[in-house]
Amino acid sequence: MLRSCAARLRTLWALCRPPVGRRLPGSVPRPELRSFSSEEVILKDCSVPNPSWNKDLRLLFDQFMKKCEDGSWKRLPSYKRTPTERIQDFKTRFLDPKLMKEEQMSQAQLFTRSFDDGLGFEYVMFYNDIEKRMVCLFQGGPYLEGPPGFIHGGAIATMIDSTVGMCAMMAGGIVMTANLNINYKRPIPLCSVVMINSQLDEVEGRKFFVSCNVQSVDEKTLYSEATSLFIKLNPAKSLT
Amino acid sequence: MIRRCFQVAARLGHHRGLLEAPRILPRLNPASAFGSSTDSKFSRFLPEKTDLKDYALPNASWCSDMLSLYQEFLEKTKSSGWIKLPSFKSNRDHIQGLKLPSGLAVSSDKGDCRIFTRCIQVEGQGFEYVIFFQPTQKKSVCLFQPGPYLEGPPGFAHGGSLAAMMDETFSKTAFLAGEGLFTLSLNIRFKNLIPVGSLVVMDVEVDKIEDQKLYMSCIAHSRDQQTVYAKSSGVFLQLQLEEESPQ
């Protein structure tokens, strides 16, 4: 299953200052971003502080931005939607054109960015290419409730999936989730901040094994652990 | 009775992670999973009269497959013991008069909270779903139609939205089948992408209940069974809710 594929495509394209001499295998060469006014709304980077971010999240954000100064860590931008031309590119490469529905495209939004500030998923991801680590700082808002006062298990699954998926994609280009295995240790209180630490464990041909843990800001509480398997897509084979 | 409490406490010790105050001994009475208190559990969960809006009802965004399958299951509620579960904006509305065990309950001054699977209320844009439950067989069926705000890859549902729907169906099934309250684990094997706006049928079964845990499995497939979207298993922790103290 494609994991936030569109989000990753956007991120790859939008990463400024391409790494010297290196392009991820299978990725599309970064075209120039033209800013039409409607595109500006779509291309607003959501992974930066806004008024709904609480103190913990801002503190962690600042700590990780410091780590970016020497180039070992990179902050990943994150957008609500894919610009139309990128969608066309994805469809051409991987999908059977006869089966795509046009009408739905105009309304679509990336699931994790379908909320107003502070109500749903507030998050930012940082990547360390040497260690193959993706860290996601995540604050879950009141529209993500499960048991009263706690975040829904499915919302946690969504963020874990987005994080490990992004980690796999940095290493493998366009990938699809095959397996996701989550152990919940403690419920996460609503509106608190957690760190999702993910790590690329192994690569076997087209298989990418990624694991992660979800911890409190002070790293003293372990909320959940997960393992996952991603498969690199074969552009010669249609997905539909 | 005292020995039972200690046995329960010992078992709860294994779940220390979830119960941060191990001295608390929730009243765990296995007999209550069946028998008379089941009725009270159902009557609280399925109030006969309520002002609350039930979101698990057909609306203009439902595709024709979903509408017709919904009608089929409505027939089964009359003939073979199936129950259509209501779906309110918040889980708190489902457990009126009850609360999480002390030690776990948190003060809830968060303002407008919504259950995750009802986070997007515009018809057809987010999660459109309804769950039918069969108490004797301990089975559920969820009819799920993901909207364009649940997108992952262009034109397809985000895998997290399917994970959320599976967790939610497991959750309601576990609660009604055996007082399951918290997810312990979720294991999902994804097979095929789900086009936005199409119908997903999720068959859920309780495989066993043992050691204070409910084990369930789920297959998510197209209506004609030709496409399997994903298979999963979930384990939930049994925990009894407590009565809210009278104000």
Side-chain angles (χ1 to χ4, degrees), chain A residues 3-4 145 181-182 184 186, chain B residues 17 92 158-159 184 186-187:
Chain A
R3 297 267 51 81
S4 306
E145 200 179 42
N181 196 327
I182 306 173
Y184 297 84
R186 282 177 169 77
Chain B
R92 297 147 198 264
H158 196 290
L184 287 175
L186 208 53
N187 184 316

Side-chain angles (χ1 to χ4, degrees), chain A residues 21-38:
Chain A
R22 234 189 109 222
R23 188 196 300 154
L24 292 170
S27 74
V28 180
R30 190 175 66 91
E32 300 297 54
L33 291 174
R34 294 184 298 174
S35 52
F36 303 125
S37 56
S38 60

Side-chain angles (χ1 to χ4, degrees), chain A residues 9-202:
Chain A
L9 287 172
R10 283 172 224 142
T11 305
L12 282 178
W13 284 313
L15 276 174
C16 30
R17 288 176 235 349
V20 178
R22 234 189 109 222
R23 188 196 300 154
L24 292 170
S27 74
V28 180
R30 190 175 66 91
E32 300 297 54
L33 291 174
R34 294 184 298 174
S35 52
F36 303 125
S37 56
S38 60
E39 297 250 316
E40 271 167 17
V41 170
I42 295 165
L43 293 176
K44 170 176 170 279
D45 183 353
C46 300
S47 282
V48 290
N50 67 56
S52 75
W53 284 30
N54 69 23
K55 207 168 51 132
D56 279 341
L57 187 54
R58 287 171 192 274
L59 219 71
L60 269 180
F61 178 79
D62 290 337
Q63 283 173 18
F64 272 87
M65 286 306 284
K66 268 212 163 46
K67 293 197 212 218
C68 291
E69 281 166 10
D70 67 357
S72 58
W73 287 85
K74 265 203 195 57
R75 185 191 69 86
L76 300 192
S78 168
Y79 307 98
K80 266 178 144 20
R81 286 178 49 184
T82 317
T84 334
E85 53 207 59
R86 321 294 193 247
I87 298 180
Q88 290 302 331
D89 183 65
F90 168 78
K91 282 160 65 175
T92 322
R93 291 178 83 204
F94 292 110
L95 302 177
D96 181 347
K98 294 191 285 293
L99 294 177
M100 289 310 301
K101 290 189 205 174
E102 288 302 329
E103 333 73 67
Q104 304 259 334
M105 292 297 154
S106 54
Q107 300 168 45
Q109 287 184 175
L110 176 64
F111 180 33
T112 49
R113 292 292 180 201
S114 281
F115 300 81
D116 289 338
D117 282 357
L119 294 176
F121 300 93
E122 290 296 337
Y123 65 95
V124 52
M125 297 200 203
F126 292 88
Y127 183 62
N128 184 316
D129 194 36
I130 311 271
E131 297 175 30
K132 304 292 181 216
R133 275 180 61 198
M134 183 73 69
V135 172
C136 176
L137 312 178
F138 166 49
Q139 175 185 302
Y143 283 14
L144 306 187
E145 200 179 42
F150 297 100
I151 301 185
H152 196 286
I156 299 167
T158 301
M159 264 339 286
I160 287 177
D161 179 58
S162 297
T163 307
V164 293
M166 196 62 90
C167 188
M169 194 162 178
M170 296 306 274
I174 298 186
V175 294
M176 207 161 130
T177 320
N179 294 345
L180 188 60
N181 196 327
I182 306 173
N183 287 318
Y184 297 84
K185 309 277 185 191
R186 282 177 169 77
I188 301 176
L190 220 46
C191 303
S192 67
V193 176
V194 296
M195 264 198 315
I196 307 174
N197 277 297
S198 75
Q199 176 80 52
L200 177 67
D201 293 321
E202 218 179 302

